[in-house]
Amino acid sequence: MALLLPEKKSSLGPDLAKKLGQDKVRWDWATLKAYSVDASIYKIPPQVVVLPETEEDIHAVMEYAVKVGVPLTPRAAGTNLTGSAIGAGIIVDISRMNRLLEVNRDEQWARVQPGLVLSEFNKQLAPMGLMYGPDPSSGDMCKLGGMFGNNSAGPHTLRYGSVKDNVHTLRIRLLTEGWLDAQSVHIGGPAHTSLLKGFPSLKAVWTMIQEEQALIRARRPKVSKNSSGYNVFDLVDGLERGVFEVQKLFIGSEGTLGIMSEATVKLVKRPDATVTGLIHFRHLEGMGESVPHLLELNPNALEVMDGNSLDLIGRNRYGIPSDAAATLLIEFDEGGGADRRHRLMEMCKSFPLTGEVRLASDPAQQGELWKARKALFPMLYRFDPRKKPINFVDDVVVPASRTGELIRYLEEYFGGRSVPVAIFGHVGNGNAHIVPLLDLHNQHDVDAMVEAHREIHQTVLDRFDGSICGEHGDGRIRAETVRLMYGEEVYQIFVRVKQAFDPQGMMNPGVKISDTSFTEHIDVERMGKPCATCAKCNSVCPVYDVFQSEDMSARGWFEIVTASDYSYLQSERVVEACLNCKSCRTICPAGVDVSELILQRRAEQPNELAGWVFALHARQWIFHPLLKLVAWTQSFWDRPVLRGMLEKLTRPVLRKLAPTAKIPRDMVLPTFAKRHLRDRYPELCHSEHLRQASIAYFHGCAANYFEDGVGDAVIGLLADYGVKVALPPQRCSGTPIETYGLRDLVKEGARENLAHLASYATVITSCASCTLSLKDYVTLFHGEPEEAAAIDLSKRVKHISEYLVEQGMSSANTHSTRISAEGKLEKVTYHSSCHLRAAGVSQAPRDLLASVADLEFVEMQDADRCAGGAGTYIVKNYETSQKIFQRKKRAIQESGAQVVATSCPACMIQLKNGLRGIAEVKHIAQVMREHPGRK
């Protein structure tokens, strides 16, 4: 049956909104733009996006889609590389169905929803000593539903198997037959009989696998892992054991047979300790010959990166020898045989190695060893402004013993065509990820891609007797090749499976079973952009964390603001949602700063009210007296009744800042200073001292205007060590001003700051945003006369925590030791300010806190997550700000800390407002000054 699209496409959104509610259905330009891509090379704009929160929502949208004949595409995180999460009809994004429903610790299983992020799932399991085994490299952002759909695996497949080995049951909404609880049932039993009676589609598949079991057995891929086609192979294997393993048919089906709402998964015990080894080989043959020996150690993981990959990501960055032809990563349990370290080192003596073998059991050191492997693909986007990593032969599998031979063939193939290529993957399974770098604006490279797609897949099948797909799924990229892999007879079995569940071809058309060329729908324009669309930014985006919608995410924003048909009017809702926290910039392996792109767009539409306020702020002789008047009268107006009146009276004006802007009556406001910091230390502002001092303190706005003690602590702490800082004249560093698109005003203040700070050897800051802003003047003045001065300043700016660590300073005060009521040391935890991380300062504050003798430093979960304050964002969008803060609040409570230290006065405002006495909030300078001595 041909799919009939409605004559009025716009009717889809309104119709579905009536059924599900406005918040769950979107069809505006920005949303459709964001959902037109995933992590693949494709682009297909949908007609409408649905964000279900319940099974009733899924039922309603599928019932409607059948009625009007519009195709459905299920989507989770959109991190797949094959184009299976995009489609031209209705996108059903299950991200809001993200709960861990139940855990049975004794029997080691959990009941989960498909929108749950893998890393979040494992965080919740960690206190129980459990985890989910499959672990794709995208684990920080991929969701369980996508893993189920692709039959994902990852580096630890050797130990735990792929997803199909770790799922007990799936709950799936079929297109026309309602809800199916897919699980293993005994053949001939009542459950089996009931299934076949209630679901004609299953009966058709059951009959078919019985009739075709000999053919299916004969054509089963002879490799250790496979995600190509439908998994009729495990169904046939189940016949011999007397079971019908229904769930395995749907795992790896890529949303082409139904939509999942729930699963029961197998859990495994978390290893007490592991050992990670990094081994560099002089040539590929030696690497390939080592694999069978290394597998004797029963490793959890065995990974490879070829020499081309190491060249492309930069050997020096990761300390990799220049003559290494390949690097292996091996991991095994520390407690799984005390001699395994020794056996590994003995084996390595006979291998053709270069450089030393590095072993690590400390988690931080292990993370460093894994860093290159996990970030490899997106980092390839830095290689060349034109040639980008293109996934089209990215997931082949051969016998593990022939991996070296495969890599040699691939290097010779691409080398003969002068095509840069990265080859890496799971060598223990023979699963290679092949990523050529091509310029798809160049017809020569396009022709090379088409030829390689055919030649390499054919060679893997014929010469290596392998599989075209190990864990990424067929998607659109390999759909036309499935027939080539299995032959016509088995391919027709797949077609019959598809027709049994989806006779109208409405479920994710073009994916897995299709003759459409893989070159259709390639997004050539996007292939010239720096973003890998890998969604690592989404994993840390605080707005996405709240809304769970691609249009409200860093990756989605990149697609929106870089679109050739972008306009502010049709994007204002999403462009103004960004906090400018810079978390996307910090985590992006490709070096993309989405928040900066958004600021550039906001600069095209500067906010008039903010412009008036900050222009007044720049006239300090007027602004400062007004602010002091606010401070002197705060005891009068900062009362519940008057605060309610204040909120009501200021709303009409603040709406010009943002529709949601307000000064909430229940928000804990900072105490405004009656005497500003500069008034309290006039001797540090005196012209003679300014000329003589070599160290300046850039205090920023908050420490100057608020009675929060931060500036006093910094000045006092440094004075304890004989450092008498200068307080030169200074304007706002620019961060809050630029947030509202006022770039010209930012530059005006930045020029003054460059001039006033030019003579100082060191500029100390206490505000994370000021630290980043001063360092980022380089970007602000790129290509302009001030660039040289900006570069010079960026080298001299030090956050107070950074400065103290570099100077080897410890607290010298003699305040009394803080002991809790239970007689134990008080616990302090650290909230890592986003802008300080973006400025490259992450470890120094932790080192300081850990060094304090009379405090116990505890690292809280999600310490590096945004708290949601973001300067004036707490006023601009208070509700969203508080929703963001909930994650941080939970983490602080779970840490058991009595004190929360941070590195930014602006973050302190949000923390104090959100915690309200649950824990004390202090700047790290205050903590260091109040607590004497080091451990």
Side-chain angles (χ1 to χ4, degrees):
M1 171 182 170
L3 296 183
L4 300 176
L5 299 181
E7 292 182 8
K8 289 186 178 181
K9 292 185 179 181
S10 60
S11 69
L12 291 176
D15 287 352
L16 285 166
K18 289 178 183 178
K19 293 177 177 292
L20 303 175
Q22 291 285 345
D23 184 53
K24 299 177 184 178
V25 184
R26 295 179 185 170
W27 64 96
D28 60 291
W29 178 90
T31 298
L32 300 185
K33 185 66 67 174
Y35 276 95
S36 65
V37 301
D38 53 14
S40 72
I41 61 177
Y42 298 111
K43 180 176 185 176
I44 302 177
Q47 295 180 53
V48 65
V49 175
V50 174
L51 299 153
E53 298 177 7
T54 64
E55 287 190 348
E56 289 73 19
D57 293 339
I58 293 176
H59 173 82
V61 69
M62 293 187 75
E63 188 176 59
Y64 175 80
V66 170
K67 178 181 176 181
V68 300
V70 179
L72 292 156
T73 295
R75 177 178 174 123
T79 57
N80 81 94
L81 300 172
T82 68
S84 61
I86 53 176
I90 301 171
I91 298 287
V92 184
D93 183 347
I94 49 78
S95 295
R96 292 182 178 177
M97 299 179 69
N98 54 20
R99 290 184 297 147
L100 172 56
L101 301 172
E102 184 180 2
V103 178
N104 189 310
R105 187 170 183 173
D106 295 331
E107 298 179 12
Q108 294 184 199
W109 57 261
R111 196 161 57 88
V112 297
Q113 291 184 316
L116 184 59
V117 175
L118 174 62
S119 62
E120 297 293 332
F121 182 31
N122 280 325
K123 283 179 185 177
Q124 295 182 57
L125 294 174
M128 308 175 208
L130 299 172
M131 68 179 194
Y132 191 53
D135 64 331
S137 296
S138 58
D140 285 342
M141 53 276 192
C142 74
K143 296 173 181 175
L144 297 180
M147 293 176 64
F148 301 153
N150 283 347
N151 186 29
S152 298
H156 293 85
T157 313
L158 280 174
R159 173 72 178 274
Y160 303 115
S162 61
V163 163
K164 71 182 179 66
D165 306 308
N166 292 274
V167 173
H168 296 311
T169 69
L170 287 174
R171 184 159 167 80
I172 305 160
R173 176 51 161 86
L174 303 179
L175 193 64
T176 60
E177 297 172 291
W179 288 98
L180 167 67
D181 291 313
Q183 57 189 308
S184 179
V185 296
H186 291 287
I187 296 173
H192 179 237
T193 302
S194 177
L195 273 179
L196 300 186
K197 182 178 180 181
F199 296 93
S201 55
L202 276 180
K203 184 174 182 179
V205 171
W206 167 250
T207 301
M208 181 178 61
I209 64 167
Q210 287 183 302
E211 295 172 349
E212 305 289 355
Q213 57 181 296
L215 172 63
I216 293 170
R217 284 196 183 95
R219 297 308 305 271
R220 181 177 191 129
K222 300 178 180 63
V223 287
S224 63
K225 61 195 295 192
N226 174 62
S227 289
S228 183
Y230 291 116
N231 188 13
V232 294
F233 309 102
D234 279 0
L235 298 189
V236 168
D237 287 350
L239 296 178
E240 298 178 357
R241 294 178 281 109
V243 292
F244 186 25
E245 296 182 295
V246 181
Q247 77 279 10
K248 290 191 175 181
L249 178 64
F250 293 92
I251 295 169
S253 63
E254 302 181 67
T256 61
L257 303 181
I259 299 180
M260 304 172 190
S261 68
E262 190 180 302
T264 303
V265 300
K266 171 186 173 184
L267 305 177
V268 296
K269 290 184 177 179
R270 184 179 294 271
D272 293 329
T274 58
V275 177
T276 301
L278 195 65
I279 311 170
H280 308 293
F281 286 82
R282 200 176 300 119
H283 52 73
L284 287 172
E285 289 76 16
M287 184 279 295
E289 291 169 2
S290 75
V291 171
H293 300 287
L294 293 172
L295 289 174
E296 292 175 7
L297 297 173
N298 296 316
N300 299 340
L302 190 60
E303 299 288 292
V304 66
M305 294 177 286
D306 82 317
N308 289 334
S309 302
L310 303 174
D311 290 338
L312 291 169
I313 64 173
R315 293 171 183 261
N316 291 338
R317 182 193 298 261
Y318 299 103
I320 297 168
S322 60
D323 59 341
T327 290
L328 284 189
L329 267 165
I330 185 170
E331 181 185 291
F332 49 83
D333 288 356
E334 179 85 87
D339 67 332
R340 279 205 277 186
R341 280 177 179 255
H342 176 72
R343 288 173 61 195
L344 173 61
M345 298 307 294
E346 287 299 308
M347 284 183 182
C348 287
K349 290 178 181 179
S350 63
F351 298 158
L353 304 185
T354 178
E356 64 175 348
V357 177
R358 294 172 60 190
L359 296 181
S361 52
D362 175 74
Q365 294 176 358
Q366 289 176 313
E368 288 300 311
L369 298 186
W370 275 100
K371 185 179 290 184
R373 169 64 186 88
K374 292 194 172 184
L376 200 157
F377 171 68
M379 279 196 66
L380 296 177
Y381 272 75
R382 293 174 180 252
F383 173 71
D384 188 292
R386 292 179 298 105
K387 292 184 179 291
K388 300 299 178 183
I390 308 297
N391 286 284
F392 62 94
V393 284
D394 53 285
D395 196 31
V396 303
V397 188
V398 300
S401 60
R402 300 186 67 185
T403 307
E405 181 187 349
L406 171 69
I407 294 176
R408 175 66 70 193
Y409 155 72
L410 292 169
E411 290 188 343
E412 290 175 353
Y413 177 89
F414 287 106
R417 291 158 177 78
S418 300
V419 174
V421 64
I423 305 165
F424 53 97
H426 318 304
V427 66
N429 296 112
N431 185 193
H433 300 320
I434 309 157
V435 187
L437 278 77
L438 300 168
D439 176 8
L440 295 189
H441 294 86
N442 183 310
Q443 189 58 44
H444 175 270
D445 281 13
V446 173
D447 294 341
M449 177 182 67
V450 173
E451 178 191 18
H453 185 272
R454 180 182 64 253
E455 291 292 330
I456 292 174
H457 283 140
Q458 190 74 63
T459 300
V460 165
L461 295 173
D462 295 344
R463 175 174 162 183
F464 292 93
D465 201 18
S467 168
I468 62 173
C469 173
E471 60 186 13
H472 292 171
D474 296 311
R476 300 176 186 280
I477 206 81
R478 280 177 285 275
E480 63 175 296
T481 316
V482 174
R483 179 186 272 108
L484 175 68
M485 175 169 167
Y486 290 103
E488 188 62 32
E489 290 180 299
V490 173
Y491 185 78
Q492 288 305 317
I493 290 175
F494 296 157
V495 171
R496 289 162 63 187
V497 170
K498 171 71 171 173
Q499 291 176 342
F501 293 96
D502 182 20
Q504 299 172 325
M506 291 179 57
M507 292 303 306
N508 222 359
V511 171
K512 194 170 278 292
I513 302 297
S514 175
D515 293 324
T516 302
S517 170
F518 83 97
T519 59
E520 291 291 317
H521 305 298
I522 290 179
D523 187 2
V524 176
E525 179 186 357
R526 181 162 55 93
M527 291 302 102
K529 296 178 181 179
C531 176
T533 62
C534 65
K536 286 187 78 70
C537 53
N538 284 7
S539 71
V540 295
C541 178
V543 177
Y544 182 70
D545 195 39
V546 169
F547 290 96
Q548 293 294 308
S549 176
E550 193 72 36
D551 57 306
M552 299 292 271
S553 75
R555 178 176 63 176
W557 293 334
F558 177 89
E559 193 63 24
I560 291 165
V561 301
T562 63
S564 58
D565 55 344
Y566 167 86
S567 79
Y568 181 81
L569 290 178
Q570 59 189 359
S571 310
E572 180 179 3
R573 171 181 65 86
V574 296
V575 168
E576 293 296 341
C578 174
L579 278 74
N580 186 34
C581 70
K582 301 292 184 183
S583 295
C584 54
R585 160 176 158 174
T586 304
I587 201 171
C588 180
V592 176
D593 185 349
V594 178
S595 56
E596 170 62 22
L597 297 174
I598 288 175
L599 292 178
Q600 292 173 14
R601 290 301 194 184
R602 288 182 185 173
E604 298 170 4
Q605 299 284 333
N607 186 279
E608 292 185 11
L609 176 61
W612 183 85
V613 171
F614 285 115
L616 180 65
H617 174 259
R619 293 164 175 80
Q620 297 180 357
W621 63 93
I622 301 175
F623 186 77
H624 285 184
L626 290 175
L627 209 59
K628 290 174 183 177
L629 178 62
V630 171
W632 280 99
T633 58
Q634 186 169 8
S635 60
F636 169 72
W637 57 259
D638 197 0
R639 300 178 181 183
V641 175
L642 292 177
R643 282 288 302 276
M645 294 174 61
L646 180 67
E647 177 181 344
K648 186 174 182 179
L649 291 172
T650 56
R651 279 299 291 273
V653 176
L654 288 177
R655 283 197 183 99
K656 295 182 179 180
L657 196 70
T660 54
K662 63 179 179 179
I663 303 174
R665 67 187 69 195
D666 61 336
M667 175 184 168
V668 177
L669 293 176
T671 301
F672 289 87
K674 297 174 182 177
R675 295 181 68 220
H676 291 170
L677 182 72
R678 302 179 68 84
D679 300 331
R680 299 197 295 273
Y681 297 93
E683 71 279 8
L684 302 183
C685 306
H686 193 275
S687 58
E688 185 65 27
H689 178 63
L690 295 181
R691 284 194 297 271
Q692 294 177 354
S694 62
I695 299 177
Y697 173 32
F698 191 92
H699 46 68
C701 301
N704 191 33
Y705 299 150
F706 299 143
E707 198 73 65
D708 57 12
V710 174
D712 302 285
V714 171
I715 292 170
L717 187 59
L718 292 172
D720 290 341
Y721 289 92
V723 179
K724 191 175 182 181
V725 295
L727 302 182
Q730 50 192 267
R731 290 268 295 271
C732 175
S733 66
T735 300
I737 304 173
E738 191 168 28
T739 297
Y740 295 98
L742 305 167
R743 186 154 285 195
D744 289 340
L745 190 58
V746 173
K747 286 187 173 182
E748 177 188 304
R751 290 188 183 97
E752 289 191 28
N753 289 335
L754 286 173
H756 290 307
L757 299 174
S759 62
Y760 299 98
T762 303
V763 178
I764 293 177
T765 61
S766 56
C767 173
S769 295
C770 293
T771 308
L772 179 64
S773 189
L774 294 178
K775 290 187 175 185
D776 271 4
Y777 283 174
V778 178
T779 302
L780 184 68
F781 290 115
H782 178 67
E784 299 184 31
E786 297 87 354
E787 183 176 14
I791 292 172
D792 179 59
L793 176 62
S794 69
K795 297 174 182 177
R796 294 182 283 116
V797 172
K798 302 284 183 185
H799 186 266
I800 180 65
S801 62
E802 194 179 12
Y803 180 79
L804 291 175
V805 169
E806 288 181 1
Q807 299 299 315
M809 292 183 178
S810 62
S811 179
N813 215 319
T814 56
H815 285 244
S816 60
T817 299
R818 297 277 293 274
I819 303 294
S820 68
E822 293 78 18
K824 300 178 181 179
L825 291 178
E826 278 198 328
K827 291 182 179 179
V828 60
T829 192
Y830 175 62
H831 160 63
S832 175
S833 301
C834 303
H835 282 186
L836 197 63
R837 291 197 312 279
V841 183
S842 179
Q843 192 57 40
R846 292 174 163 92
D847 290 343
L848 285 178
L849 293 172
S851 73
V852 176
D854 57 356
L855 285 177
E856 178 188 353
F857 172 63
V858 290
E859 181 78 19
M860 68 167 144
Q861 195 81 263
D862 295 321
D864 289 343
R865 299 288 302 214
C866 179
T872 59
Y873 190 87
I874 194 173
V875 172
K876 183 180 177 182
N877 198 328
Y878 184 72
E879 278 71 26
T880 299
S881 171
Q882 297 314 295
K883 289 176 182 176
I884 292 170
F885 183 72
Q886 291 310 303
R887 175 192 281 264
K888 183 69 64 175
K889 183 178 179 179
R890 287 194 301 271
I892 291 169
Q893 290 176 307
E894 290 169 3
S895 75
Q898 289 85 32
V899 179
V900 181
T902 187
S903 49
C904 187
C907 290
M908 291 173 66
I909 296 173
Q910 174 77 328
L911 289 166
K912 288 180 178 180
N913 177 62
L915 292 176
R916 305 195 182 206
I918 292 175
E920 280 190 277
V921 177
K922 293 183 178 293
H923 191 277
I924 192 165
Q926 293 173 300
V927 174
M928 296 305 296
R929 190 146 201 254
E930 291 175 4
H931 292 267
R934 294 290 185 98
K935 294 175 181 175

